[in-house]
Amino acid sequence: MSKITRRKFMQASGSVAAAGAATTLGLWPMRAFSQETVKLGLLHSLTGTIAIAEASLVEAEKLAIDEINAAGGVMGRQITPVVEDGASDNPVFAEKAKKLLERDQVAAIIGCYTSASRKAVLPVLNRAKGLLYYPTYYEGQEQDKYVIYPSQEATQSVVAAIEWMAKEKGKTFFLVGSDYIYPRTCNKIAKPTIARLGGKVLGEEYAPLGHTEFSSIINKIKAAKPDCIYSTVVGGSNVAFYKQLKAAGLDGTKQVLLSTVVSENEIEGIGKDNAVGYYACMGYFQSIKNPVNEKFVKAFKAKYGQDKVIGDPMQVAYNSVYLWKLAVEKAKSFDPEKVIAASSGLEFDAAEGKIRVHATNHHVWKKVRVGRARADGQFDIVWESPNLIEPNPFPKL
Amino acid sequence: MQVFNGISLFTILLLMALGLAIVFGQMGVINMAHGELMALGAYVTYFTSRFFASHLPGWMDIYLFVAIPLAFGVTFLGGYLLERGFIRWFYNRPLDTLLATWGLSLILQQAYRTFFGAQEVNVPLASWLSGAWNVTENIQLPLNRIFIIGLTAVVAVGVYLLLYKTRWGLAVRSVTQNRAMSEAVGINTARVDAVTFALGSGLAGIAGCAFTMIGSTNPGTGQMYIVDSFIVVVFGGVQSLVGTALSGFTIAQSQTTLEYLMSGSMARVTILLLVIVVLYYRPSGLFSSKVRA
């Protein structure tokens, strides 16, 4: 291990300080609205805990940018991505958003993954009048003037998932989730839905975030013998949960389990053989059959490697860039206020099928699907909502 | 069934805490990077399984028996180098060690992220370890947990023999009790420190290897276990390995019982409160050995 001497340290910090001084002295980066280019901020965790889920979103966004640039750009301008690392730290997200909007003068930001990081960015957006596209499914309960939410909010996926399970798999449920806002909100929506369908909740359990010991919860599930488990366990805990379910003799052939947070990306970590047979409810699955998706998957794999898998948030991240482009072209302006106004009712033919931005609430009308995990880590789509589902971020609970 | 879960959690806690307890108790080093050494063991296991999958698919079922010594070896070596190059400059400065090793843990996490990727990796379970032993209709004991229980027993006995039945163990104990006197009688204390630290690290490696069977492997893996390990070590009394074992048992049994009776988060809070109350009355831990200070 090389020793860092005091002198080396001083030199290093000196040059950092010099660089900082140079920028404050007026050597500003190029303005965003130059004649040839327009800047788009990509703000995600490339390091830290959430990077596991979030880093791949940047890849999808860059793919969309490349495609748009190759096709002539937005209103004749090439998009320059400015990538910033939120480092899985919410204050860092706020700081980087501020930097992107004020120093880099980006036309819009596509970014954040956790609700906490989005909430941290909201005040910055409102102060700087900047626009954010938030590409992750989330619990709803929010509608900000400067945010477009192109993924499914909780009512869109939870209600559809519960209805499908109650109809196809049985009416007794066990709700299990991680102990934080997304699972608790989803279960708040799930419970009245189950009651409305004449079903019964046999148990509701929350494990601390990052928990890896599910044996007690699994015992309770076994004692309750539910027809269906509705799972909102998030992140690395899923690996432990699925592995321990399997070890306890419950697997996809014997037990119905549906999750609204396990996409193809999570399956990679969980292990294909541990997840096989379990269900997920998402807006998008990589195995969706339509020409747009085939083209999307092919382009993605050509750019990032054949063994890459594409999960729901990645596809929405890709859509976000296009939704921004379409809104800009409709507004004939990069001004966030005009872009937001132009977004209402905007339609995009995405890989997941047609999506439409809601006229008033900044979320999107979209289809959701239920998929069953296969041995190769992909999903067989077993159900698809017949129509676009209206977003309802503030349901009556 | 819950008792089995408790025992299973106990062996896991013990596996995590043993290495930490050795380093902490014998050397006074609060090693915040212990979790990252565990993660290293997990990654070694992952790469071993990958190697077997691609080169020796027929031997896939026994890759674990290669991975365990390998995980131990690699982390042992890593621990040795860390001690020589880093930790030894911080002896007798517990708070500085805490900060330094915490920084080290962040560096290691980021290094894993850079080299192995941020995504979780999947370590396949050998076919003979998946499934459960059906004792009766309703009681199923997962085989991987039985394996971990056995592994922990072997490791614990090994550590005991090493510390109490070998010359080297004698040297370690003597250095712990009186460093100056040990030096005076010709014990190379620097070497004892290095090997002790390396041994603690190696145990973390074995723990990491075992965790791949039940948990997830990603750069942050170690973070999930480090707090639990510290609770076990502090609760048990830092100087005593037997205390570590007993405290691990107490905590594991109460945790699983409470988890069954209340929600997971409440169970955790209750355990922490329990630990605080005990430490209030017995600051040096529940099972601390009586020594003249």
Side-chain angles (χ1 to χ4, degrees):
Chain A
M1 191 172 286
S2 80
K3 234 162 94 182
I4 298 174
T5 62
R6 191 184 189 85
R7 171 170 297 184
K8 270 188 197 156
F9 179 75
M10 295 303 280
Q11 280 171 347
S13 30
S15 51
V16 169
T23 41
T24 46
L25 283 174
L27 300 174
W28 285 83
M30 204 165 47
R31 296 274 304 178
F33 307 120
S34 72
Q35 286 308 306
E36 303 82 28
T37 63
V38 56
K39 285 185 183 174
L40 195 58
L42 309 181
L43 175 57
H44 290 290
S45 301
L46 306 176
T47 57
T49 330
I50 320 288
I52 290 171
E54 207 173 346
S56 55
L57 269 61
V58 176
E59 295 180 341
E61 287 153 9
K62 280 189 170 165
L63 173 68
I65 291 173
D66 284 356
E67 287 178 3
I68 293 170
N69 282 344
V74 183
M75 295 208 305
R77 292 182 192 176
Q78 294 284 302
I79 305 171
T80 314
V82 184
V83 182
E84 282 296 340
D85 180 8
S88 309
D89 188 23
N90 303 325
V92 174
F93 265 97
E95 198 181 296
K96 297 282 187 178
K98 191 166 187 282
K99 184 237 167 204
L100 284 170
L101 291 169
E102 292 178 358
R103 172 128 41 110
D104 296 327
Q105 307 256 327
V106 297
I109 299 174
I110 298 175
C112 302
Y113 186 85
T114 62
S115 285
S117 65
R118 186 190 67 248
K119 297 266 188 211
V121 166
L122 289 184
V124 179
L125 296 174
N126 279 283
R127 215 177 307 123
K129 302 200 188 321
L131 173 59
L132 172 76
Y133 284 79
Y134 175 66
T136 322
Y137 45 80
Y138 82 120
E139 65 278 355
Q141 315 293 321
E142 188 182 292
Q143 178 186 331
D144 191 274
K145 189 180 172 208
Y146 291 104
V147 185
I148 304 283
Y149 308 81
S151 191
Q152 57 270 23
E153 44 79 29
T155 61
Q156 288 175 307
S157 53
V158 177
V159 174
I162 298 287
E163 281 177 352
W164 178 81
M165 278 192 281
K167 185 161 168 270
E168 301 285 333
K169 301 292 174 186
K171 299 215 184 236
T172 55
F173 288 82
F174 200 102
L175 313 178
V176 49
S178 297
D179 205 351
Y180 90 125
I181 180 166
Y182 178 82
R184 284 197 180 263
T185 310
C186 283
N187 287 345
K188 236 185 226 168
I189 296 165
K191 280 187 279 185
T193 312
I194 292 169
R196 172 167 62 80
L197 297 168
K200 215 173 150 213
V201 178
L202 301 180
E204 183 179 356
E205 287 293 327
Y206 297 94
L209 270 181
H211 204 48
T212 50
E213 265 301 330
F214 283 90
S215 47
S216 292
I217 289 179
I218 290 172
N219 276 357
K220 285 188 210 178
I221 295 175
K222 283 182 127 180
K225 293 197 176 58
D227 294 329
C228 310
I229 303 172
Y230 172 53
S231 162
T232 39
V233 174
V234 298
S237 287
N238 267 313
V239 182
F241 185 43
Y242 280 47
K243 272 187 184 173
Q244 289 167 26
L245 274 172
K246 193 181 179 199
L250 296 176
D251 62 34
T253 57
K254 296 179 196 131
Q255 175 68 51
V256 175
L257 179 147
L258 184 145
S259 167
T260 41
V261 284
V262 170
S263 73
E264 289 88 339
N265 297 103
E266 279 77 20
I267 299 254
E268 287 282 288
I270 290 170
K272 293 158 187 163
D273 44 337
N274 294 317
V276 73
Y278 286 135
Y279 298 89
C281 181
M282 289 280 160
Y284 171 82
F285 290 108
Q286 193 188 315
S287 57
I288 288 176
K289 286 206 174 41
N290 71 47
V292 182
N293 185 43
E294 270 159 38
K295 198 169 141 258
F296 169 59
V297 174
K298 213 172 142 197
F300 192 90
K301 291 194 167 190
K303 189 167 161 72
Y304 298 109
Q306 289 303 314
D307 53 350
K308 284 273 181 180
V309 295
I310 306 166
D312 180 282
M314 291 164 73
Q315 190 252 173
V316 179
Y318 174 90
N319 293 349
S320 302
V321 181
Y322 274 98
L323 284 174
W324 171 75
K325 168 188 182 270
L326 292 173
V328 166
E329 287 173 348
K330 190 172 155 197
K332 299 199 171 51
S333 163
F334 290 106
D335 177 27
E337 310 275 353
K338 289 180 184 153
V339 172
I340 293 164
S343 290
S344 291
L346 207 60
E347 286 193 359
F348 176 57
D349 205 4
E352 63 177 278
K354 192 178 290 285
I355 54 174
R356 185 168 74 240
V357 181
H358 194 272
T360 54
N361 72 20
H362 288 203
H363 293 64
V364 299
W365 292 72
K366 55 161 43 201
K367 287 188 172 185
V368 299
R369 298 163 173 88
V370 173
R372 186 165 201 236
R374 294 197 305 237
D376 66 353
Q378 290 294 316
F379 285 88
D380 282 326
I381 296 164
V382 295
W383 179 82
E384 180 179 301
S385 63
N387 303 309
L388 298 183
I389 300 177
E390 183 176 6
N392 179 16
F394 298 102
K396 283 200 197 78
L397 294 174
Chain B
M1 194 68 198
Q2 278 303 122
V3 175
F4 174 78
N5 281 339
I7 292 172
S8 153
L9 180 64
F10 156 58
T11 54
I12 287 165
L13 286 177
L14 184 60
L15 211 49
M16 302 192 290
L18 260 185
L20 200 64
I22 288 175
V23 171
F24 194 9
Q26 316 293 311
M27 303 165 65
V29 172
I30 302 173
N31 183 15
M32 297 295 280
H34 194 72
E36 278 55 52
L37 293 164
M38 272 179 216
L40 182 63
Y43 275 111
V44 170
T45 312
Y46 167 66
F47 284 110
T48 315
S49 76
R50 282 276 296 274
F51 177 82
F52 270 73
S54 59
H55 292 91
L56 301 162
W59 296 79
M60 197 60 198
D61 272 354
I62 57 141
Y63 84 85
L64 211 53
F65 293 102
V66 180
I68 292 171
L70 207 61
F72 178 78
V74 170
T75 44
F76 185 91
L77 195 70
Y80 188 86
L81 295 176
L82 271 184
E83 201 277 342
R84 290 285 80 192
F86 190 76
I87 307 283
R88 69 168 161 151
W89 310 107
F90 294 99
Y91 282 145
N92 302 321
R93 295 154 65 187
L95 288 180
D96 302 356
T97 342
L98 187 133
L99 276 182
T101 51
W102 186 52
L104 182 69
S105 110
L106 295 178
I107 293 170
L108 285 176
Q109 276 181 51
Q110 201 53 49
Y112 297 156
R113 219 164 263 131
T114 310
F115 293 120
F116 307 139
Q119 277 281 347
E120 288 179 358
V121 296
N122 170 40
V123 184
L125 197 59
S127 55
W128 56 274
L129 276 175
S130 56
W133 175 36
N134 293 302
V135 187
T136 66
E137 186 75 11
N138 285 317
I139 300 182
Q140 288 163 320
L141 308 183
L143 290 176
N144 53 0
R145 295 202 175 245
I146 296 176
F147 182 80
I148 292 177
I149 293 174
L151 178 69
T152 311
V154 171
V155 169
V157 170
V159 168
Y160 172 79
L161 291 179
L162 211 57
L163 280 179
Y164 290 92
K165 300 285 170 199
T166 64
R167 270 199 82 75
W168 178 76
L170 190 66
V172 172
R173 285 180 291 138
S174 114
V175 171
T176 315
Q177 283 181 8
N178 195 326
R179 181 170 292 267
M181 188 62 88
S182 310
E183 260 169 32
V185 297
I187 295 173
N188 184 345
T189 55
R191 203 155 129 233
V192 168
D193 284 338
V195 177
T196 309
F197 190 83
L199 177 72
S201 307
L203 292 176
I206 296 184
C209 180
F211 289 141
T212 60
M213 286 186 258
I214 51 165
S216 67
T217 306
N218 64 58
T221 294
Q223 291 298 301
M224 291 183 219
Y225 302 105
I226 190 74
V227 175
D228 288 320
S229 329
F230 267 115
I231 292 172
V232 168
V233 172
V234 173
F235 185 65
V238 290
Q239 296 266 320
S240 143
L241 287 185
V242 180
T244 303
L246 287 174
S247 97
F249 188 77
T250 317
I251 289 178
Q253 287 297 351
S254 357
Q255 170 105 24
T256 44
T257 313
L258 289 172
E259 246 177 40
Y260 197 77
L261 298 176
M262 49 177 96
S263 79
S265 301
M266 273 318 287
R268 247 184 115 73
V269 171
T270 314
I271 292 288
L272 283 172
L273 282 176
L274 184 83
V275 169
I276 290 169
V277 169
V278 168
L279 288 180
Y280 180 78
Y281 289 104
R282 298 200 52 139
S284 52
L286 193 54
F287 308 99
S288 58
S289 48
K290 288 183 181 61
V291 286
R292 273 175 294 167

